[in-house]
Amino acid sequence: MTPVLDLQAVEKRFGAVTALSEVDLTIDRGEFFALLGPSGSGKTTMLRVIAGLERPDRGRVLVEGREVTALPPYLRNIGMVFQDFLLFPHKTVGENIVFPLRMQRRSRAEQQEQLAWVSRLVRLQGLEERYPHQLSGGQKQRVALARGLVSRPTLLLLDEPLANLDRELRREMEVEIRRYQRELGIPFVYVTHNQEEALTIADRMAVMYRGRIEQVGDKLDLYMRPETRFVAGFLGHPNRFSARVLEIADGRMLLDWNGVRLRQERRFETRAGETVELFLKSERIRLCRRPDEAAALPNRVPGRLQDAIFKGVFADCFVTLNNGAELVVAATPDAAGIPRESPVTLAWDIADAHAFPVEQEGGGS
Amino acid sequence: MKNRGLRFDPRIQFAMLALPGAAFVFVFLVLPLLSIVVFSFWRTERYELIPEWNLENYRIVLTDPTYLTFLLRSLVMATVVCLASVVYAWPVAYFIAKHGGRYRLVLVLLTAAPFLTGIVLRVTALQQILGPIGLVNMALMTFGFEPIEALMYSNVASAIGLVYLWIPFMIVAIYLSLLNFDFELLEVAKVAGARPWRAFLEVTWPLNWIGTAIGIVLVFVPTFAATVTPRFLGGPNGSLFGNILEHQFGATGTWALGSAMGVVLFLVSLAFILLIGRTIDPKRTGFTGIGR
Amino acid sequence: MGDGRRTSFFLQALLLAFLYLFLYFPIFYIAFLSFVENTTWPFPPLYTLEWYSRLAIMSDFHEGLFNSLLIGLGTGALAALFATAGAMALLRYPVRRKALVALLYLGPLFVAEVLIGISTLMFNRNVLGLPGNLFSAILSNTTHALAFAFLVVLSQLVRYDWRMDDAAMVFGARPLRCFFEVTLPSIWPAVLGAFLVSFLLAFNNFEISFYNLGAVPTLPTIAWGTLRHGIEPELYALATLVNLAVFVALLLLYLLIRTGLVRIGLPED
């Protein structure tokens, strides 16, 4: 089956800045795909290349097997939802929504039919005669989505569509957008810098950094098995520290972290005596008040609770370990009730931390 | 398909939009200006240009005491008018930008509006006030006073007239510069101990120098080339370089000499622009550029 | 300190008031003169409409008005067109050598009108071998007015969000369609403003038009001729009519700038 979108070795430079380098990506039918990355990572440029708003310097863009690399945006039938909605201020909601249909010279009857359908889908009925400046943020968002979907494009691109909405509305729209995607079966490519948003909304995702795709795959895979230091450092809320390799056996490593022994999977070539860097997600650490609670887990480190900050669904606990290091643990909210200076034990499984060879140049966060 | 893609290339779109106007200016302004540079090295005989290359025209313009006097007088006139305009325009533009509030646009448009009625009509109007039988002198005579000589057909009247004509440029230039000026910086300077005048000289003036410089150039260029104003307000000793220049294209028909005068006029203006341009230190203007 | 500040405030306000007086008193005074018989010392005034009726039957006046209108309309249209295209190019595309293009558009600001006049006269006469006519007057007035039109458009267009055009094109609008459906509805006040300013500049231009037209009259050359041969009161009537027209046009421009701000979606300041 040909993928809906196929980027092959796409490269784009702006002067001396490389916005995209050697990007390969395929997106399949009916997929909800998120592009996640910090600002300046090239994700918006990638979206603009897919839409035809930027022409890549090298590489090819294929939509449904057809090469569109040099095709201008108005011949691609790709829908897009822009960051600040970008509704046409001089057109009513209805006129904004049917704009793509008018450009495709569809009949008036068909325009009205599609308008009715899409207004129902995004729950905008009754607002067709209003002008954009008469709408709330959430309503504008729905109009932008309706305009993107009305012509049933081969692909819908969403560029940080929720960045300008407040928290409540964002939650609501995340659910709504997922619903549209399921009902229509059109592949969505969703760009965001917000990992919670990406993890909530998408099925598959790619993490971008400095114009490259660091890792692509199922979202859980990226979260649980990061393949690069950047992804390990970017997803979740990891603690980061270095340890020395003591022994290697059976694809496992025994590490020394300032006098504490740790067991860790070995996923790259390394030798005893070398130093590795560990990323340990704070939400994967168990905080135990009694040492025996952690008996089943291979890595156990005693320490003292310094502070616990109640955050609602969890509590951030700052723990000073007996080896002098400090770790942040996202524990259940009742941890906020533990008295300060209480002795605690932190424990985690072999797969919860991710080790990488130490890099000279400090990349990642 | 290749072709369509080509048309979408931003460089080609840029060229399609920008080149027609640029080419237009080149053909209908730059080429004519270059043509008079050529003609200035020719000579005229009985109202006809003769393509014989020589430097005679320049020798005449640059050595004949009469022409030199006109050139010098124009230079002095333009300098005086520029200075007077700067001195007057600054407090006015400052007032509008700082205290104009929601009426800023109206206030500044009102200073610029007369500019669009054309110089001939503006000079006509001014002559009815300042001329020998203008309102001021008629009033003086009616009430038994001596008329003020300086106002009738003199260089002073010319200078007033030129300020009257071109001060809108100066005000608009300074005003636009002040619009982008952060007045809070002045508060900072004052908190740091600067008195108002010191704060103005150390902060406001340098940060708005680029706008002032543009205003100065915009006033200098037409003033230095003035023809209508000195003719109708300047009187017998009021002729400026522009008048002697037009003369070559009117009665005498000495095209080549006139062209040389045109070139001299242009070069002096250009030298002035470059001189003013040298005073602008791009790093210290606070200018952040236009567009995205 | 507070006192000093208040003094300087009133001093500046006074200077502004005096500037308005300086700029407008002559204009209103000749408007007053255009309605009186005793124009040299009109106190007490003897009112009359004589100058207007004389002006109305002056054949030169009709021809001059017609020619001035033609020059104004032609220049306004050309300058607004080039200025809009040029400003769009300059603001929209990340292209190098922008400065050179901007220099060509703004350069005419730094060339004296009399120089534009004589150089086009010489160029037409000696290089192209053409006599000056209305057409050449429109062309060389356009080079001058273009700079002003360009500034008008530029000052408004910096507020326009070009991603609107991206949105239109993604949804299938070809470049021209995009311009007429999306860009122009937002920027038309700026375009019309540019037209108006260039129209007025060319309509009232003396030095450029004079050297292109020779004996063909325009309103400013008629006024100049009258002024040269000793003032005639018809000129007051003429000036008053032109000034009135200019102020009506400027009122329009002002309203345009305000709607322009609203259109582009920014609050007025």
Side-chain angles (χ1 to χ4, degrees), chain A residues 48 51 53 73-75 78-80 82-84 86-91 99-100 102-103 147-148, chain C residues 161 163-175 177-178 181-183 185-186 263-265:
Chain A
R48 291 176 62 85
L53 292 167
Y74 43 86
L75 298 175
I78 286 176
M80 190 159 176
F82 292 85
Q83 186 171 4
D84 309 302
L86 295 184
L87 302 180
F88 305 127
H90 56 291
K91 292 181 187 290
F99 186 85
R102 280 185 45 234
M103 294 303 117
R147 186 176 59 174
Chain C
D161 188 346
R163 291 178 310 155
M164 282 294 176
D165 293 40
D166 289 347
M169 282 197 280
V170 166
F171 293 123
R174 284 154 196 274
R177 190 86 190 261
C178 168
E181 286 248 2
V182 174
T183 322
S186 286
R263 277 276 164 176
I264 294 173

Side-chain angles (χ1 to χ4, degrees), chain A residues 3-7 23-37 43 46-47 50 155-161 177-178 181-182 185-192 194 197-208 212-219 222:
Chain A
V4 173
L5 177 72
D6 189 359
L7 299 185
V23 168
D24 290 293
L25 183 68
T26 58
I27 287 170
D28 289 319
R29 234 153 271 283
E31 182 165 47
F32 201 133
F33 190 87
L35 267 177
L36 177 66
K43 53 196 195 307
M46 188 141 119
L47 220 53
I50 298 169
L155 187 67
L156 184 73
L157 308 174
L158 302 102
D159 186 8
E160 306 256 5
I177 291 174
R178 259 186 89 78
Q181 201 273 331
R182 290 244 181 77
I186 296 170
F188 281 22
V189 179
Y190 189 104
V191 159
T192 180
N194 181 329
E197 212 171 280
L199 290 168
T200 312
I201 209 164
D203 306 321
R204 227 156 58 93
M205 61 194 264
V207 171
M208 289 194 73
R212 290 177 183 279
I213 291 185
E214 291 272 320
Q215 190 176 348
V216 200
D218 182 77
K219 62 181 174 188
L222 264 75

Side-chain angles (χ1 to χ4, degrees), chain A residues 318-356:
Chain A
F318 295 84
V319 177
T320 304
L321 302 175
N322 292 356
N323 70 355
E326 188 176 272
L327 286 186
V328 184
V329 182
T332 49
D334 51 301
I338 303 174
R340 308 284 176 271
E341 294 297 325
S342 301
V344 292
T345 299
L346 301 185
W348 61 90
D349 204 352
I350 283 179
D352 288 335
H354 307 288
F356 293 93

